Amino acid sequence: MKTGIQAIIHKINVDAEEHSNDHRGQMKEEIDEEINHDTAVYLGDLSKRSEMLKKHNEIQYMRLHERLSSRLNREILTYQRNLINEIFDKAISKLREASDKEFTDMFNSAVANLKGKYTLYLGELSKGKLDDAAIAVAIENAGADITLSGETIPKKSGFVLKDDRVEYNCLFEDLIEDKKNEQAALVLKEVFGETGNKLIQ
């Protein structure tokens, strides 16, 4: 009887152990499956976050690069403009300091091909650099009828010739300003490219 009971107990223990082993194996498979799934999800999420971080860093780098490039361009432009202003200010000073002969030569060159009747207005800063004798020589050489006005153009050097329809502006400050603006436009285009060029049109 005892032997039979022991056999039954033994069989129960064996069955229980087998069942336990089966259950343990099944649980292990399920746990491994879940771990593998969670690991894949985590790695996928990590990969996405890594990609997002990479894109974020790229955007931040591009923004920094653009800011630094813009700052550098502005500094170059400021330097170039200051340099242009300095050069052209010196040019105006040189023109204002022109001798009477140099001024007369510039005047003769300006009127060499003129025909018709003109009134000559001197800039206030050039008053006295051109006398009636010089104008008479210019008239004789050019064939134009030029009358010197008693009025001067305030705070300017050089001269203006006017007839009923046309005005020839030979004021040094205006001529230099035109050249300065042309040079500034070239610098702006060089620094900022076509976009910068459109800003000044």
Side-chain angles (χ1 to χ4, degrees):
M1 186 77 168
K2 286 183 181 180
T3 305
I5 293 171
Q6 286 176 345
I8 291 169
I9 292 171
H10 177 71
K11 186 173 184 323
I12 290 170
N13 286 337
V14 169
D15 289 346
E17 188 175 344
E18 285 178 0
H19 181 72
S20 177
N21 286 338
D22 290 344
H23 182 68
R24 190 182 298 113
Q26 186 179 349
M27 286 294 295
K28 186 176 182 305
E29 285 179 10
E30 288 177 2
I31 289 169
D32 287 346
E33 230 178 90
E34 191 173 336
I35 288 172
N36 289 336
H37 176 266
D38 289 348
T39 301
V41 169
Y42 174 76
L43 290 175
D45 186 50
L46 187 64
S47 175
K48 285 178 184 176
R49 278 187 287 173
S50 175
E51 189 64 30
M52 286 172 64
L53 185 61
K54 180 182 175 184
K55 286 181 180 177
H56 176 72
N57 288 339
E58 286 175 355
I59 291 169
Q60 290 296 98
Y61 171 78
M62 288 300 296
R63 286 177 179 167
L64 177 62
H65 183 269
E66 286 170 4
R67 281 199 303 271
L68 291 175
S69 294
S70 179
R71 178 180 163 191
L72 179 61
N73 285 341
R74 284 196 305 271
E75 287 177 358
I76 291 171
L77 186 62
T78 299
Y79 172 79
Q80 294 271 30
R81 279 180 169 165
N82 290 339
L83 186 61
I84 288 169
N85 287 335
E86 184 181 339
I87 290 169
F88 284 103
D89 286 347
K90 285 181 181 178
I92 289 174
S93 295
K94 286 288 184 186
L95 287 169
R96 286 176 177 169
E97 293 166 4
S99 67
D100 292 358
K101 182 182 182 310
E102 288 170 331
F103 189 91
T104 300
D105 288 344
M106 284 186 273
F107 174 74
N108 287 336
S109 175
V111 302
N113 298 312
L114 288 183
K115 303 293 179 186
K117 188 173 182 178
Y118 294 89
T119 302
L120 171 64
Y121 297 86
L122 290 175
E124 180 184 5
L125 304 178
S126 297
K127 189 176 180 181
K129 287 188 177 288
L130 198 63
D131 56 22
D132 289 333
I135 294 172
V137 171
I139 291 171
E140 185 179 339
N141 291 336
D145 184 1
I146 301 171
T147 304
L148 178 61
S149 172
E151 298 176 32
T152 58
I153 301 169
K155 300 178 183 178
K156 297 282 187 176
S157 56
F159 54 90
V160 171
L161 287 159
K162 292 183 181 179
D163 67 6
D164 295 334
R165 296 166 298 147
V166 182
E167 177 179 304
Y168 294 98
N169 184 349
C170 297
L171 294 169
F172 298 154
E173 292 80 4
D174 294 351
L175 295 174
I176 291 296
E177 190 64 26
D178 287 344
K179 289 292 180 186
K180 187 164 70 173
N181 288 338
E182 286 176 16
Q183 193 63 36
L186 289 174
V187 168
L188 193 62
K189 183 176 180 180
E190 182 180 333
V191 173
F192 290 103
E194 291 300 327
T195 303
N197 193 37
K198 289 173 185 175
L199 293 176
I200 58 169
Q201 290 177 350

